Amino acid sequence: MPRQIKVLRLLRRLLEEPPRRAFSAAASHEDPGQKATQENTMKDTDIKRLLYAHLVCIFSIILSIFIPSFFLENFSILETHLTWLCICSVFVTAVNLILYLVGKPNTSSKRSSLSYKVTRLLKCYIYFLMSCFSFHVIFVLYGAPLTELVLETFSLAVLLSTFTTVPCLCLLGPNFKAWLRVFSRNGATSIWENSLQITTISSIVGTWLGAFPIPLDWGRPWQEWPISCTLGATFGYVAGLVISPLWIYWNRKELTYKNN
């Protein structure tokens, strides 16, 4: 009897093993069409999140135009331009930080420590200051007044750093190698990094295009330095926020990411 029981158990194992292997093989080899559908669904979800985040950023710029008029007398973009530059920079920075805090992934215990957070915050502050001074130097090299209107030139540098450097710090952190990777050819590894490329380039191009009307003899108040450049940077930033989700949605089937 014991031998018969052993033989029966052995046969039972042999009969049960093939279905298990077949099931595991079927589980490991998914249908390519089903996998592609899941990837497209994930991309569509990310694009919607990206669109909502960009709409919030655009709304922050609109708020920086209208809300100060309730608290400051004679407030306008042209007459009190420096004030608006500071308010717009603060609004956009605050919105980017809120979006980062809401959408950031769960961090490890090491990265959630107080010392790590303080070090990261100091690095981000240094990166932002370096960006501001770098843009200021570039503006001077391209013809901005060296000794006159220094505050206006630096305010433009702060605004452009807000549109370009702050999103990089929120998305990539103070990691210069990651910045170089994202802005290299085919370096983006996510939809958010593609959007970062578009908004950064459009902000810089908008600032550059905004300088063209300055030497013209039209006699308009918005031709004074650096009003046209700040308006160009703002329009370029908003254009990038609008264009990037549309471009990514249009090319979603062609976009492939290494780390996805």
Side-chain angles (χ1 to χ4, degrees):
M1 287 293 295
R3 289 183 180 180
Q4 293 177 353
I5 293 173
K6 290 181 179 179
V7 171
L8 289 173
R9 287 179 179 176
L10 181 60
L11 289 172
R12 186 177 180 181
R13 289 179 183 177
L14 292 174
L15 290 172
E16 289 180 354
E17 277 186 358
R20 289 179 182 176
R21 290 178 182 176
F23 179 77
S24 61
S28 60
H29 298 287
E30 295 181 356
D31 184 11
Q34 183 180 0
K35 188 176 181 180
T37 303
Q38 292 177 354
E39 290 179 355
N40 290 333
T41 304
M42 292 175 63
K43 281 186 179 180
D44 291 341
T45 304
D46 288 339
I47 292 172
K48 288 181 180 179
R49 292 177 57 196
L50 179 67
L51 177 61
Y52 295 150
H54 284 193
L55 289 176
V56 173
C57 291
I58 295 173
F59 188 64
S60 68
I61 295 178
I62 297 174
L63 290 179
S64 70
I65 297 173
F66 292 103
I67 286 184
S69 61
F70 294 103
F71 303 98
L72 302 175
E73 294 182 1
N74 301 322
F75 175 81
S76 68
I77 294 179
L78 299 181
E79 295 179 3
T80 55
H81 192 65
L82 285 180
T83 304
W84 176 76
L85 284 179
C86 297
I87 294 173
C88 184
S89 299
V90 170
F91 272 55
V92 175
T93 301
V95 166
N96 275 276
L97 291 176
I98 292 172
L99 291 174
Y100 165 72
L101 293 174
V102 170
K104 70 176 181 178
N106 296 326
T107 56
S108 60
S109 58
K110 180 181 179 181
R111 293 189 174 185
S112 61
S113 62
L114 180 61
S115 60
Y116 177 83
K117 291 181 179 179
V118 172
T119 304
R120 184 183 177 87
L121 182 63
L122 290 176
K123 287 182 179 180
C124 290
Y125 184 71
I126 293 172
Y127 270 57
F128 183 76
L129 285 180
M130 290 175 60
S131 173
C132 294
F133 285 115
S134 299
F135 279 130
H136 185 94
V137 171
I138 291 172
F139 294 151
V140 171
L141 292 177
Y142 273 86
L146 178 61
T147 57
E148 298 177 356
L149 303 175
V150 177
L151 182 59
E152 286 80 356
T153 305
F154 189 74
S155 298
L156 172 60
V158 171
L159 183 71
L160 189 57
S161 296
T162 302
F163 292 156
T164 58
T165 306
V166 169
C168 289
L169 290 172
C170 291
L171 185 63
L172 305 173
N175 186 348
F176 192 67
K177 290 183 179 179
W179 293 23
L180 291 177
R181 173 185 58 78
V182 169
F183 290 99
S184 63
R185 185 173 182 178
N186 299 324
T189 59
S190 68
I191 289 173
W192 299 89
E193 292 180 359
N194 272 126
S195 172
L196 189 62
Q197 292 174 337
I198 296 172
T199 54
T200 300
I201 293 173
S202 62
S203 300
I204 295 174
V205 172
T207 307
W208 176 66
L209 292 176
F212 280 87
I214 294 178
L216 301 177
D217 56 351
W218 294 345
R220 298 290 188 271
W222 51 266
Q223 288 181 271
E224 297 180 4
W225 174 259
I227 297 178
S228 62
C229 288
T230 56
L231 294 179
T234 305
F235 284 124
Y237 178 64
V238 172
L241 293 174
V242 174
I243 292 172
S244 57
L246 299 177
W247 183 86
I248 292 171
Y249 180 79
W250 184 264
N251 297 278
R252 66 189 185 281
K253 293 182 180 180
E254 289 78 17
L255 292 175
T256 55
Y257 303 108
K258 296 178 181 178
N259 295 338
N260 275 4

